Amino acid sequence: MQVESKSRSDLAGTVTAVVFILMACLALWDTTSMTDSDSYVFPRAIAAAMIVFCILLIAYNFIKRPADEAAGGTGSASTPRRVGLVAAMLGASLVMPWVGFLLSGFCAFGAIMLFAMYDPWTGRRRIVFPVAGLAIVLGFYTLFSKVLLVPLPVGVWFR
Amino acid sequence: MTGLDYLWQALTPLNVLLALAGVVAGTVIGSLPGLTATMAVAVLVPITFSMEPASALILMGAIYTGAIYGGAYAAILLNTPGTPSAIATTFDGYPMAKRGDGDLAITLACVSSVVGGLIGAAFLLGLAPPLAEVALAFGPVEYFWLAVFGLTLISALSEGNLLKGLIGACFGLLLACIGVAEISADIRFTFGSQVLLGGIETVSALIGLYCIPVMIDLVATPDRHLKVTQQPRGFRLKEALAISWLGKFNLIRSSVIGTLVGILPGAGGSIAGLVAYSEARRSSKRSAFFGKGEPEGVQATESANNATVGGGFIPTLVLGIPGTPPDAVILGALLIQGVRTGPSLFTENGAIVYTFIYGLILATVLMLPAGLVIGRYAYKSIITVPKAILVPTVAFMTMIGTYAIRNSISDVVIMIVLGVVGWFLNRFGFSPSPIVLGLILGRIAEQGFVQAWTIGAATEDLTGMFFGRPISLVIILFTLISLFYPLIRKHWATTGGTANAG
């Protein structure tokens, strides 16, 4: 097993290093619009260092072809659920200015609950879980908006 | 009045009640990702306006110390630092929780926090005026070298893949440059976007990089979040005390580091925790186990970050310069109350200062029972709550907590995007810790570097500016030791082994 893994090249690491090089080049290009040396000295130095480290990593991967420790297949893990979680969080954040924090929070909570549910939906769970979700969202909303006085968005549709 | 009188004054029923309430409130607020110790103190400051100055200080100190400890819960149980001070607690706390020792990690964090808090308070009580001079001796170049010293931790955090760690740190340093430059006020790397104008908020980035990847993986499988043992094991206090006794030198050293870093204005608990962790790892016989659930790692960070509470009060009270961000809020509250801080505070207003210091010690001691009970409850909740409730609750907490930092939806979006980026990078072998390290230390390093460069250029002595100051040289020496110690140790082990074999 170990021999197998050792022979695998770190393709993901190499591709990521190329992406980082492009990112550093973009950063270097952006610094050309800065006039004050105080603004560009530090980011230029970091971007240059990043390019050097990335080139070293790519070269190292070509020469050594080490095992990629972190990367791996998703196995039995569910990609749609992963995407669903991120989409629910991002979606709720993006519609927040229109529908407000409370409603977007309820929707995100409900959607993520569905994605995270692996047990069968028994009659009890159908009632208890949504009620618990409602209480949690309302509880945190009240704590932040009423006790900690955080101005959570109300939403333009409800003004 | 003698020290004993001040102690009795601190022990009035009202002050004891305030200390307990402050510790509990601070611990709960600190445990929520996104709510920092600064916010905990700021939110509860108005309550103190009608109080006696000493009682007000005790309440604020208790909230502060409780919040710093509370950050450990989310760090250990959710891999999300509740406060930036708890970043390094995630390194070993979360692996401990994953293998079923979350209860032990929380109790250990509590004991370590109490020890760190007491040592910090003892320094404040006995050595405040002379130690305050240290704060004044630190110029921009010393801050720059301190940040560089913190960055050497990358070599420890990127075990087996230093290049990836360095690339991650550069990525974090570049992220720290986004927005308006602190010195020249130039707009950098926003590419015309209004969203990026305010820069990447550190706490939201922490939440995104640490917590979102955990949730993405959590939702993908039916497995339990943490390993659960069947038999109830209580607080595991005996075990934690035994570990603490064995690691007493680590605890003391980390607490002293925390106190000294706390004295430096603007450095804060996150840097204290990182420096203490780095030192604990370097000097430990079990350094190979750091990052894999080593209790010594939790001890080091939790004692150091709580020691910054006492340390931070030293320049705040003696010089009127806040050592940490929560100290700045407390300083403001004191000025509103008419208490003028400065060297004369200890002589002219000794009753207030010494009553407060004893109150802080009292609050730290009360943190042990309060922290153990709240910690036990937090642990039980995390392991018993069904995944279908836990994941959306944590997701909602990260969103509301991130929003609350700057009342910004953009921060929430940035947090989620950074989380997804962090998840991918983690899969490709780029650990989030060097990125976070770069993000936190980037601003300090840049500010120190540019200021030192400007002064050095103006005085036509750049070399002397960067390499000619005694404190700088000491930090450079520590940096070099930290960088090359693993190699030196390996060399010693090899030569020693050869000698023994011979």
Side-chain angles (χ1 to χ4, degrees), chain A residues 10 12 16 20 27 30 34 36 38-39 70-73 77-78 81-82 93 113 117-118 136 140 148 151-153, chain B residues 43 164 167 170-171 184 186 188-189 216-217 219-221 388 393 397 403 407 409 412 416 425-429 450:
Chain A
D10 181 14
T16 314
F20 275 132
D30 193 62
M34 298 169 196
D36 195 334
D38 288 354
S39 305
S78 163
R81 286 181 195 253
R82 285 184 166 132
S93 309
M113 184 187 278
M117 189 64 177
Y118 282 91
I136 289 165
F140 273 110
L148 304 177
L152 295 173
Chain B
V43 159
K164 285 184 177 178
I167 294 168
C170 288
F171 179 51
S184 60
D186 250 327
R188 302 186 297 195
F189 307 143
I216 291 176
D217 284 334
V219 83
T221 62
T393 304
M397 274 165 62
Y403 177 85
N407 303 332
I409 295 174
V412 183
I416 299 165
L425 288 178
N426 208 4
R427 291 186 72 76
F428 302 154
V450 173

Side-chain angles (χ1 to χ4, degrees), chain B residues 60-346:
Chain B
M60 287 187 284
I63 294 167
Y64 180 14
T65 201
I68 295 285
Y69 162 62
Y73 294 160
I76 292 167
L77 301 173
L78 299 169
N79 197 34
T80 307
T83 58
S85 305
I87 294 167
T89 310
T90 57
F91 302 162
D92 286 289
Y94 188 60
M96 278 183 81
K98 286 286 274 183
R99 69 166 184 238
D101 282 330
D103 46 0
L104 177 64
I106 281 180
T107 304
L108 199 59
C110 187
V111 173
S112 307
S113 296
V114 170
V115 173
L118 288 176
I119 290 178
F123 272 96
L124 175 63
L125 186 67
L127 291 166
L131 278 179
E133 300 296 323
V134 176
L136 294 179
F138 256 69
V141 73
E142 281 79 15
Y143 278 100
F144 168 70
W145 285 119
L146 187 68
V148 172
F149 178 51
L151 284 170
T152 61
L153 189 56
I154 292 164
S155 65
L157 295 176
S158 36
E159 185 92 37
N161 214 329
L162 184 61
L163 273 175
K164 285 184 177 178
L166 290 168
I167 294 168
C170 288
F171 179 51
L173 287 164
L174 282 181
L175 286 179
C177 292
I178 292 175
V180 182
E182 283 195 36
I183 292 175
S184 60
D186 250 327
I187 294 170
R188 302 186 297 195
F189 307 143
T190 60
F191 304 103
S193 161
Q194 298 283 324
V195 172
L196 294 173
L197 209 57
I200 306 277
E201 210 289 317
T202 311
V203 180
S204 17
L206 284 183
I207 296 173
L209 286 167
Y210 281 114
C211 189
I212 300 294
V214 172
M215 281 201 294
I216 291 176
D217 284 334
L218 201 57
V219 83
T221 62
D223 304 338
R224 289 195 75 95
H225 171 46
L226 302 175
K227 194 181 164 195
V228 184
T229 47
Q230 293 307 313
Q231 322 88 313
R233 297 182 291 191
F235 292 117
R236 299 181 74 179
L237 183 59
K238 244 182 177 175
E239 221 174 314
L241 286 174
I243 293 170
S244 300
W245 179 250
L246 282 174
K248 52 188 175 293
F249 294 117
N250 178 24
L251 272 179
I252 294 167
R253 182 187 50 235
S254 305
S255 304
V256 172
I257 289 173
T259 309
L260 294 177
V261 174
I263 293 169
L264 309 177
S270 52
I271 294 178
L274 289 166
V275 172
Y277 184 85
S278 176
E279 277 310 292
R281 187 182 191 279
R282 188 185 59 77
S283 54
S284 174
K285 285 176 187 160
R286 296 174 53 81
S287 57
F289 297 97
F290 274 65
K292 296 166 189 158
E294 173 57 44
E296 282 183 46
V298 177
Q299 275 183 328
T301 57
E302 281 306 304
S303 54
N305 65 24
N306 267 87
T308 59
V309 177
F313 274 119
I314 292 174
T316 310
L317 298 177
V318 180
L319 304 171
I321 304 168
T324 58
D327 289 325
V329 182
I330 294 172
L331 187 65
L334 278 177
L335 291 175
I336 289 171
Q337 290 221 342
V339 177
R340 289 184 69 87
T341 53
S344 58
L345 183 71
F346 280 75

